[in-house]
Amino acid sequence: MSLALDGEDMDQVPALLKELTEASGISGYEGPVREVVRRYFAPFGELLQDKIGSLIVKAAGSAENPRVMIAGHMDEIGFMVKHVNKNGFIYFLPLGGWFDQVLLGQRVVILTSKGPVVGVIGVKPPHMLSAEERSKVVAKKDMYIDIGATSLEEVEAAGVRMGDPIVPRADFVELANGKTYLSKAFDDRVGVALIISALEALKGETHPNTIYGAATVMEEVGVRGATTSVEIAQPDVAIILESDIAGDVPGVKPEESSVMMGKGPSLLMYDARMIPNLKLRDLVMETAKEIGVPLQTSTIEGGATDGSVIHLYKTGVPTVVLGVPCRHIHSHSSILHRDDYDAAVKLLAALLKRLDAAMVAGLTQ
């Protein structure tokens, strides 16, 4: 499947992002999005899969080693059916980190054995709340999903069962300026898309290594797919591809985040479970400067990525995290900038061409 980044075929990138983000695939239920990824990965090399569902493409270069792992998680945050009461209201538990305030009034889709069932997240009507109650944030445990049923029997007849996955109902939209896109699941379908775009950019060119592009599962519930897929890749070096948190929104101070949408991809200098390999970090910064890619730096004190387990594989793997800044992640609708995406692809492809045996050996000397 061809995917160009410039010229007349530029519109294929929005098509890629649309298909990836609109596919369902919450943590532990990644089947639908995995089949989309499988189709895009297939032209690049041998397909491999671990036993919990992570999908890996082995893209051979001019040398078997070093083995370069580029990883982005394909799971998105969502919910699972927990309980249905006698009046047909569905209670749920979160899969991944949800901010309670973004949930009320949002539409969701329950994926049942009989097909998709649409509902809306509700709570006790505000007209019936006291002034004190209205001033408080409603907790997820007090919310329910309403599919328009009036009894438990109606819910069961619709096919809803305990354990069914619940995904946000949100479509991909190109916004007014033509440079920004709105969708669910940019965290981290954008990372998966970067793997696809970078491998496409390298078609017809040599890279002095073997690339293992990994679309991992269950990152949002504890980096589980990275833990298993790294056993297949057995990397000598790794680049984690993520959505980063754009700090250019009201209420965020510059000292909290200086990452801005439209100002280039970001390089993560620190997260709660990984400090990047310093020589690899410097290589990323030097390469970006040489090829004219604007690069921002970022720190995340309250989160981690697949790199947290990949960098600890066996005796250690030099690892960095590259991000595309996104606004409003971990909600039904996040926003990214096309310029940041294209710059991230350019930088990633350039790095993959530089990671030969001597370069990788030098990262740990």
Side-chain angles (χ1 to χ4, degrees):
M1 183 172 297
S2 179
L3 182 75
L5 288 173
D6 49 30
E8 295 180 358
D9 292 328
M10 185 176 286
D11 61 351
Q12 290 188 50
V13 170
L16 168 66
L17 292 172
K18 175 181 173 66
E19 189 170 13
L20 286 174
T21 56
E22 290 186 349
S24 300
I26 66 170
S27 303
Y29 298 82
E30 294 92 352
V33 70
R34 181 167 50 247
E35 292 315 302
V36 174
V37 176
R38 187 185 305 278
R39 198 171 73 252
Y40 279 101
F41 273 7
F44 301 125
E46 180 185 2
L47 295 183
L48 309 164
Q49 188 169 317
D50 67 23
K51 293 182 180 179
I52 64 170
S54 298
L55 187 66
I56 301 103
V57 58
K58 178 183 177 182
S62 59
E64 183 67 27
N65 294 300
R67 298 160 74 104
V68 182
M69 186 176 188
I70 53 176
H73 67 89
M74 65 176 136
D75 61 311
E76 61 183 305
I77 58 172
F79 312 96
M80 178 194 292
V81 174
K82 179 182 179 182
H83 172 72
V84 183
N85 73 12
K86 64 180 182 180
N87 294 320
F89 294 104
I90 299 163
Y91 291 84
F92 57 88
L93 60 83
L95 292 175
W98 282 97
F99 187 34
D100 292 356
Q101 287 174 257
V102 305
L103 293 177
L104 284 179
Q106 295 287 356
R107 296 181 185 186
V108 294
V109 181
I110 306 170
L111 302 179
T112 81
S113 59
K114 293 185 177 181
V117 174
V118 176
V120 63
I121 298 176
V123 74
K124 183 179 177 180
H127 314 76
M128 298 179 180
L129 299 175
S130 67
E132 182 183 358
E133 287 175 318
R134 282 197 299 272
S135 67
K136 294 179 180 178
V137 175
V138 180
K140 285 186 290 291
K141 66 180 179 62
D142 297 320
M143 300 178 192
Y144 53 78
I145 293 170
D146 186 352
I147 65 167
T150 59
S151 67
L152 171 60
E153 291 72 23
E154 284 186 40
V155 174
E156 291 174 340
V160 176
R161 299 183 298 183
M162 302 306 106
D164 279 347
I166 306 165
V167 298
R169 190 184 193 210
D171 59 341
F172 176 92
V173 180
E174 295 187 49
L175 298 178
N177 62 6
K179 283 281 191 176
T180 50
Y181 308 140
L182 174 75
S183 191
K184 72 174 180 68
F186 279 138
D187 182 9
D188 181 35
R189 306 285 165 72
V190 67
V192 177
L194 288 173
I195 296 172
I196 295 165
S197 291
L199 291 177
E200 179 68 29
L202 290 175
K203 283 180 72 174
E205 297 191 36
T206 14
H207 49 93
N209 46 47
T210 299
I211 300 168
Y212 288 80
T216 65
V217 298
M218 293 188 274
E219 189 269 358
E220 296 289 2
V221 291
V223 293
R224 300 176 191 181
T227 307
T228 51
S229 61
V230 72
E231 295 283 349
I232 291 177
Q234 300 181 38
D236 299 300
V237 63
I239 301 172
I240 311 304
L241 305 165
E242 265 287 0
S243 59
D244 198 2
I245 302 166
D248 58 346
V249 296
V252 178
K253 299 175 183 177
E255 62 268 25
E256 293 173 321
S257 173
S258 59
V259 176
M260 302 180 70
M261 196 174 70
K263 301 298 182 182
S266 64
L267 174 62
L268 200 59
M269 310 300 275
Y270 171 90
D271 69 43
R273 291 181 58 186
M274 192 187 84
I275 297 170
N277 173 277
L278 301 185
K279 290 183 179 180
L280 183 55
R281 177 203 67 184
D282 290 348
L283 175 65
V284 174
M285 298 174 80
E286 291 161 9
T287 302
K289 186 175 181 180
E290 287 175 21
I291 65 174
V293 166
L295 184 66
Q296 307 184 79
T297 55
S298 174
T299 59
I300 300 175
E301 297 178 50
T305 73
D306 278 342
S308 62
V309 293
I310 290 172
H311 88 290
L312 298 178
Y313 176 67
K314 289 190 174 179
T315 57
V317 178
T319 303
V320 292
V321 180
L322 284 180
V324 174
C326 296
R327 294 174 181 166
H328 321 302
I329 65 168
H330 282 227
S331 73
H332 274 60
S333 300
S334 50
I335 299 175
L336 64 73
H337 200 289
R338 175 63 184 274
D339 289 351
D340 298 334
Y341 181 86
D342 289 349
V345 173
K346 183 178 179 181
L347 177 56
L348 178 58
L351 289 166
L352 291 171
K353 287 190 283 187
R354 295 184 182 200
L355 289 170
D356 59 17
M359 179 70 76
V360 172
L363 298 175
T364 52
Q365 288 174 353

